mmCIF file of all heavy atoms in Angstrom:
data_model
loop_
_atom_site.group_PDB
_atom_site.id
_atom_site.type_symbol
_atom_site.label_atom_id
_atom_site.label_comp_id
_atom_site.label_asym_id
_atom_site.label_seq_id
_atom_site.Cartn_x
_atom_site.Cartn_y
_atom_site.Cartn_z
ATOM 1 N N ARG A 12 -29.026 -26.858 13.968
ATOM 2 C CA ARG A 12 -28.323 -27.762 14.786
ATOM 3 C C ARG A 12 -26.823 -27.813 14.271
ATOM 4 O O ARG A 12 -26.084 -28.796 14.414
ATOM 5 C CB ARG A 12 -28.878 -29.156 14.715
ATOM 6 C CG ARG A 12 -30.352 -29.212 15.301
ATOM 7 C CD ARG A 12 -30.798 -30.612 15.322
ATOM 8 N NE ARG A 12 -29.983 -31.382 16.322
ATOM 9 C CZ ARG A 12 -30.128 -32.723 16.532
ATOM 10 N NH1 ARG A 12 -31.044 -33.356 15.782
ATOM 11 N NH2 ARG A 12 -29.369 -33.294 17.368
ATOM 12 N N ARG A 13 -26.409 -26.667 13.713
ATOM 13 C CA ARG A 13 -25.009 -26.615 13.169
ATOM 14 C C ARG A 13 -24.354 -25.406 13.805
ATOM 15 O O ARG A 13 -24.921 -24.334 14.038
ATOM 16 C CB ARG A 13 -24.980 -26.570 11.706
ATOM 17 C CG ARG A 13 -25.570 -27.720 10.997
ATOM 18 C CD ARG A 13 -25.415 -27.687 9.480
ATOM 19 N NE ARG A 13 -26.000 -26.487 8.906
ATOM 20 C CZ ARG A 13 -25.794 -26.099 7.694
ATOM 21 N NH1 ARG A 13 -24.971 -26.715 6.900
ATOM 22 N NH2 ARG A 13 -26.426 -24.967 7.254
ATOM 23 N N ARG A 14 -23.048 -25.530 14.061
ATOM 24 C CA ARG A 14 -22.202 -24.524 14.539
ATOM 25 C C ARG A 14 -21.323 -23.973 13.490
ATOM 26 O O ARG A 14 -20.799 -24.742 12.658
ATOM 27 C CB ARG A 14 -21.388 -24.943 15.810
ATOM 28 C CG ARG A 14 -20.647 -23.833 16.448
ATOM 29 C CD ARG A 14 -19.620 -24.365 17.457
ATOM 30 N NE ARG A 14 -20.310 -25.186 18.473
ATOM 31 C CZ ARG A 14 -20.814 -24.759 19.634
ATOM 32 N NH1 ARG A 14 -20.723 -23.485 19.922
ATOM 33 N NH2 ARG A 14 -21.313 -25.648 20.523
ATOM 34 N N MET A 15 -21.184 -22.605 13.427
ATOM 35 C CA MET A 15 -20.324 -22.014 12.392
ATOM 36 C C MET A 15 -18.949 -21.756 12.906
ATOM 37 O O MET A 15 -18.733 -21.261 14.005
ATOM 38 C CB MET A 15 -20.963 -20.705 11.944
ATOM 39 C CG MET A 15 -20.181 -20.015 10.817
ATOM 40 S SD MET A 15 -21.102 -18.572 10.131
ATOM 41 C CE MET A 15 -21.043 -17.474 11.555
ATOM 42 N N PHE A 16 -17.961 -22.143 12.065
ATOM 43 C CA PHE A 16 -16.567 -21.869 12.395
ATOM 44 C C PHE A 16 -15.954 -21.049 11.295
ATOM 45 O O PHE A 16 -16.257 -21.228 10.070
ATOM 46 C CB PHE A 16 -15.727 -23.198 12.539
ATOM 47 C CG PHE A 16 -16.059 -23.947 13.753
ATOM 48 C CD1 PHE A 16 -17.177 -24.876 13.794
ATOM 49 C CD2 PHE A 16 -15.335 -23.809 14.884
ATOM 50 C CE1 PHE A 16 -17.474 -25.569 14.876
ATOM 51 C CE2 PHE A 16 -15.635 -24.507 16.061
ATOM 52 C CZ PHE A 16 -16.713 -25.451 16.070
ATOM 53 N N ARG A 17 -15.098 -20.102 11.647
ATOM 54 C CA ARG A 17 -14.288 -19.356 10.659
ATOM 55 C C ARG A 17 -12.793 -19.688 10.725
ATOM 56 O O ARG A 17 -12.271 -19.544 11.840
ATOM 57 C CB ARG A 17 -14.506 -17.847 10.918
ATOM 58 C CG ARG A 17 -15.921 -17.418 10.578
ATOM 59 C CD ARG A 17 -16.084 -15.911 10.723
ATOM 60 N NE ARG A 17 -17.417 -15.469 10.463
ATOM 61 C CZ ARG A 17 -17.918 -15.158 9.284
ATOM 62 N NH1 ARG A 17 -17.118 -15.275 8.247
ATOM 63 N NH2 ARG A 17 -19.175 -14.759 9.104
ATOM 64 N N VAL A 18 -12.255 -20.058 9.632
ATOM 65 C CA VAL A 18 -10.807 -20.447 9.615
ATOM 66 C C VAL A 18 -10.246 -19.696 8.395
ATOM 67 O O VAL A 18 -10.601 -20.008 7.246
ATOM 68 C CB VAL A 18 -10.634 -21.942 9.487
ATOM 69 C CG1 VAL A 18 -9.110 -22.345 9.486
ATOM 70 C CG2 VAL A 18 -11.373 -22.702 10.592
ATOM 71 N N PHE A 19 -9.289 -18.722 8.654
ATOM 72 C CA PHE A 19 -8.664 -18.012 7.670
ATOM 73 C C PHE A 19 -9.638 -17.416 6.657
ATOM 74 O O PHE A 19 -9.403 -17.428 5.414
ATOM 75 C CB PHE A 19 -7.630 -18.888 6.842
ATOM 76 C CG PHE A 19 -6.555 -19.378 7.804
ATOM 77 C CD1 PHE A 19 -6.512 -20.715 8.113
ATOM 78 C CD2 PHE A 19 -5.520 -18.546 8.227
ATOM 79 C CE1 PHE A 19 -5.511 -21.158 8.987
ATOM 80 C CE2 PHE A 19 -4.572 -19.016 9.000
ATOM 81 C CZ PHE A 19 -4.488 -20.302 9.449
ATOM 82 N N GLY A 20 -10.741 -16.867 7.142
ATOM 83 C CA GLY A 20 -11.739 -16.239 6.283
ATOM 84 C C GLY A 20 -12.753 -17.153 5.669
ATOM 85 O O GLY A 20 -13.705 -16.691 5.017
ATOM 86 N N LEU A 21 -12.557 -18.453 5.783
ATOM 87 C CA LEU A 21 -13.478 -19.443 5.207
ATOM 88 C C LEU A 21 -14.470 -19.830 6.313
ATOM 89 O O LEU A 21 -14.119 -19.944 7.486
ATOM 90 C CB LEU A 21 -12.703 -20.652 4.689
ATOM 91 C CG LEU A 21 -11.706 -20.404 3.628
ATOM 92 C CD1 LEU A 21 -11.004 -21.681 3.215
ATOM 93 C CD2 LEU A 21 -12.312 -19.733 2.428
ATOM 94 N N THR A 22 -15.705 -20.100 5.919
ATOM 95 C CA THR A 22 -16.795 -20.487 6.840
ATOM 96 C C THR A 22 -17.121 -21.957 6.730
ATOM 97 O O THR A 22 -17.316 -22.406 5.587
ATOM 98 C CB THR A 22 -18.011 -19.617 6.636
ATOM 99 O OG1 THR A 22 -17.710 -18.238 6.741
ATOM 100 C CG2 THR A 22 -19.151 -19.880 7.641
ATOM 101 N N PHE A 23 -17.178 -22.562 7.847
ATOM 102 C CA PHE A 23 -17.556 -24.023 7.857
ATOM 103 C C PHE A 23 -18.737 -24.249 8.841
ATOM 104 O O PHE A 23 -18.844 -23.606 9.764
ATOM 105 C CB PHE A 23 -16.356 -24.910 8.267
ATOM 106 C CG PHE A 23 -15.159 -24.777 7.399
ATOM 107 C CD1 PHE A 23 -14.187 -23.845 7.660
ATOM 108 C CD2 PHE A 23 -15.059 -25.595 6.275
ATOM 109 C CE1 PHE A 23 -13.076 -23.765 6.785
ATOM 110 C CE2 PHE A 23 -13.979 -25.464 5.419
ATOM 111 C CZ PHE A 23 -12.984 -24.509 5.686
ATOM 112 N N PHE A 24 -19.602 -25.286 8.514
ATOM 113 C CA PHE A 24 -20.701 -25.591 9.427
ATOM 114 C C PHE A 24 -20.543 -27.046 9.843
ATOM 115 O O PHE A 24 -20.287 -27.857 9.043
ATOM 116 C CB PHE A 24 -22.006 -25.429 8.747
ATOM 117 C CG PHE A 24 -22.269 -23.909 8.501
ATOM 118 C CD1 PHE A 24 -21.978 -23.311 7.278
ATOM 119 C CD2 PHE A 24 -22.966 -23.164 9.455
ATOM 120 C CE1 PHE A 24 -22.272 -22.048 6.997
ATOM 121 C CE2 PHE A 24 -23.235 -21.801 9.167
ATOM 122 C CZ PHE A 24 -22.927 -21.250 7.934
ATOM 123 N N MET A 25 -20.737 -27.271 11.127
ATOM 124 C CA MET A 25 -20.587 -28.671 11.641
ATOM 125 C C MET A 25 -21.818 -28.953 12.607
ATOM 126 O O MET A 25 -22.284 -28.071 13.202
ATOM 127 C CB MET A 25 -19.300 -28.867 12.406
ATOM 128 C CG MET A 25 -18.022 -28.779 11.589
ATOM 129 S SD MET A 25 -16.566 -29.155 12.519
ATOM 130 C CE MET A 25 -15.359 -28.942 11.251
ATOM 131 N N PRO A 26 -22.234 -30.185 12.597
ATOM 132 C CA PRO A 26 -23.346 -30.500 13.477
ATOM 133 C C PRO A 26 -23.068 -30.158 14.891
ATOM 134 O O PRO A 26 -22.026 -30.473 15.461
ATOM 135 C CB PRO A 26 -23.547 -32.022 13.266
ATOM 136 C CG PRO A 26 -22.928 -32.265 11.973
ATOM 137 C CD PRO A 26 -21.778 -31.326 11.822
ATOM 138 N N TYR A 27 -23.982 -29.472 15.534
ATOM 139 C CA TYR A 27 -23.870 -29.008 16.978
ATOM 140 C C TYR A 27 -23.778 -30.221 17.861
ATOM 141 O O TYR A 27 -24.627 -31.129 17.867
ATOM 142 C CB TYR A 27 -24.993 -28.094 17.292
ATOM 143 C CG TYR A 27 -24.843 -27.554 18.638
ATOM 144 C CD1 TYR A 27 -23.919 -26.535 18.849
ATOM 145 C CD2 TYR A 27 -25.702 -27.903 19.724
ATOM 146 C CE1 TYR A 27 -23.766 -25.921 20.126
ATOM 147 C CE2 TYR A 27 -25.555 -27.307 20.963
ATOM 148 C CZ TYR A 27 -24.618 -26.364 21.163
ATOM 149 O OH TYR A 27 -24.424 -25.785 22.345
ATOM 150 N N GLY A 28 -22.694 -30.260 18.761
ATOM 151 C CA GLY A 28 -22.502 -31.326 19.660
ATOM 152 C C GLY A 28 -21.871 -32.541 19.146
ATOM 153 O O GLY A 28 -21.734 -33.553 19.855
ATOM 154 N N SER A 29 -21.529 -32.557 17.899
ATOM 155 C CA SER A 29 -20.905 -33.835 17.285
ATOM 156 C C SER A 29 -19.379 -33.857 17.818
ATOM 157 O O SER A 29 -18.893 -32.891 18.381
ATOM 158 C CB SER A 29 -20.964 -33.656 15.811
ATOM 159 O OG SER A 29 -20.211 -32.653 15.270
ATOM 160 N N LEU A 30 -18.760 -34.945 17.464
ATOM 161 C CA LEU A 30 -17.360 -35.115 17.817
ATOM 162 C C LEU A 30 -16.466 -34.111 17.149
ATOM 163 O O LEU A 30 -15.606 -33.541 17.766
ATOM 164 C CB LEU A 30 -16.912 -36.612 17.473
ATOM 165 C CG LEU A 30 -15.400 -36.919 17.736
ATOM 166 C CD1 LEU A 30 -15.179 -36.785 19.276
ATOM 167 C CD2 LEU A 30 -15.104 -38.269 17.255
ATOM 168 N N ALA A 31 -16.792 -33.930 15.890
ATOM 169 C CA ALA A 31 -15.959 -32.915 15.080
ATOM 170 C C ALA A 31 -16.171 -31.526 15.706
ATOM 171 O O ALA A 31 -15.179 -30.731 15.773
ATOM 172 C CB ALA A 31 -16.362 -32.950 13.634
ATOM 173 N N ASP A 32 -17.408 -31.204 16.080
ATOM 174 C CA ASP A 32 -17.687 -29.913 16.665
ATOM 175 C C ASP A 32 -16.908 -29.740 17.949
ATOM 176 O O ASP A 32 -16.291 -28.671 18.185
ATOM 177 C CB ASP A 32 -19.154 -29.785 16.904
ATOM 178 C CG ASP A 32 -19.526 -28.470 17.675
ATOM 179 O OD1 ASP A 32 -19.183 -27.435 17.140
ATOM 180 O OD2 ASP A 32 -20.086 -28.573 18.783
ATOM 181 N N THR A 33 -16.917 -30.764 18.810
ATOM 182 C CA THR A 33 -16.149 -30.683 20.101
ATOM 183 C C THR A 33 -14.598 -30.546 19.876
ATOM 184 O O THR A 33 -13.986 -29.805 20.525
ATOM 185 C CB THR A 33 -16.470 -31.934 20.921
ATOM 186 O OG1 THR A 33 -17.817 -32.098 21.063
ATOM 187 C CG2 THR A 33 -15.754 -31.887 22.261
ATOM 188 N N CYS A 34 -14.142 -31.345 18.880
ATOM 189 C CA CYS A 34 -12.692 -31.186 18.627
ATOM 190 C C CYS A 34 -12.319 -29.819 18.107
ATOM 191 O O CYS A 34 -11.208 -29.305 18.484
ATOM 192 C CB CYS A 34 -12.297 -32.308 17.510
ATOM 193 S SG CYS A 34 -12.430 -33.949 18.142
ATOM 194 N N CYS A 35 -13.177 -29.176 17.220
ATOM 195 C CA CYS A 35 -12.837 -27.885 16.776
ATOM 196 C C CYS A 35 -12.885 -26.902 17.886
ATOM 197 O O CYS A 35 -12.044 -25.980 17.924
ATOM 198 C CB CYS A 35 -13.823 -27.497 15.672
ATOM 199 S SG CYS A 35 -13.608 -28.327 14.110
ATOM 200 N N ILE A 36 -13.802 -26.947 18.841
ATOM 201 C CA ILE A 36 -13.871 -26.114 19.970
ATOM 202 C C ILE A 36 -12.667 -26.262 20.835
ATOM 203 O O ILE A 36 -12.042 -25.225 21.257
ATOM 204 C CB ILE A 36 -15.146 -26.352 20.753
ATOM 205 C CG1 ILE A 36 -16.365 -25.971 20.021
ATOM 206 C CG2 ILE A 36 -15.092 -25.543 22.112
ATOM 207 C CD1 ILE A 36 -17.667 -26.294 20.768
ATOM 208 N N LEU A 37 -12.207 -27.425 21.088
ATOM 209 C CA LEU A 37 -10.957 -27.653 21.846
ATOM 210 C C LEU A 37 -9.757 -27.104 21.163
ATOM 211 O O LEU A 37 -8.857 -26.517 21.844
ATOM 212 C CB LEU A 37 -10.885 -29.140 22.230
ATOM 213 C CG LEU A 37 -11.933 -29.734 23.085
ATOM 214 C CD1 LEU A 37 -11.688 -31.314 23.251
ATOM 215 C CD2 LEU A 37 -11.926 -29.087 24.457
ATOM 216 N N ALA A 38 -9.723 -27.338 19.848
ATOM 217 C CA ALA A 38 -8.605 -26.840 19.060
ATOM 218 C C ALA A 38 -8.534 -25.279 19.122
ATOM 219 O O ALA A 38 -7.466 -24.705 19.207
ATOM 220 C CB ALA A 38 -8.604 -27.318 17.654
ATOM 221 N N THR A 39 -9.683 -24.680 19.001
ATOM 222 C CA THR A 39 -9.783 -23.197 19.059
ATOM 223 C C THR A 39 -9.302 -22.674 20.447
ATOM 224 O O THR A 39 -8.591 -21.701 20.505
ATOM 225 C CB THR A 39 -11.220 -22.716 18.798
ATOM 226 O OG1 THR A 39 -11.595 -23.196 17.445
ATOM 227 C CG2 THR A 39 -11.289 -21.221 18.819
ATOM 228 N N GLN A 40 -9.753 -23.384 21.483
ATOM 229 C CA GLN A 40 -9.372 -22.931 22.841
ATOM 230 C C GLN A 40 -7.893 -23.134 23.019
ATOM 231 O O GLN A 40 -7.185 -22.264 23.719
ATOM 232 C CB GLN A 40 -10.160 -23.689 23.927
ATOM 233 C CG GLN A 40 -11.639 -23.343 23.910
ATOM 234 C CD GLN A 40 -12.440 -24.232 24.832
ATOM 235 O OE1 GLN A 40 -11.915 -25.237 25.365
ATOM 236 N NE2 GLN A 40 -13.670 -23.859 25.041
ATOM 237 N N ALA A 41 -7.306 -24.206 22.514
ATOM 238 C CA ALA A 41 -5.873 -24.417 22.624
ATOM 239 C C ALA A 41 -5.103 -23.370 21.806
ATOM 240 O O ALA A 41 -4.089 -22.907 22.278
ATOM 241 C CB ALA A 41 -5.493 -25.822 22.084
#
Side-chain angles (χ1 to χ4, degrees):
R12 298 187 63 185
R13 299 186 301 169
R14 188 190 299 271
M15 183 173 67
F16 289 86
R17 292 184 181 273
V18 182
F19 298 106
L21 302 177
T22 303
F23 300 91
F24 293 92
M25 294 185 181
Y27 185 70
S29 65
L30 178 61
D32 174 59
T33 304
C34 292
C35 287
I36 293 177
L37 294 177
T39 300
Q40 294 175 349

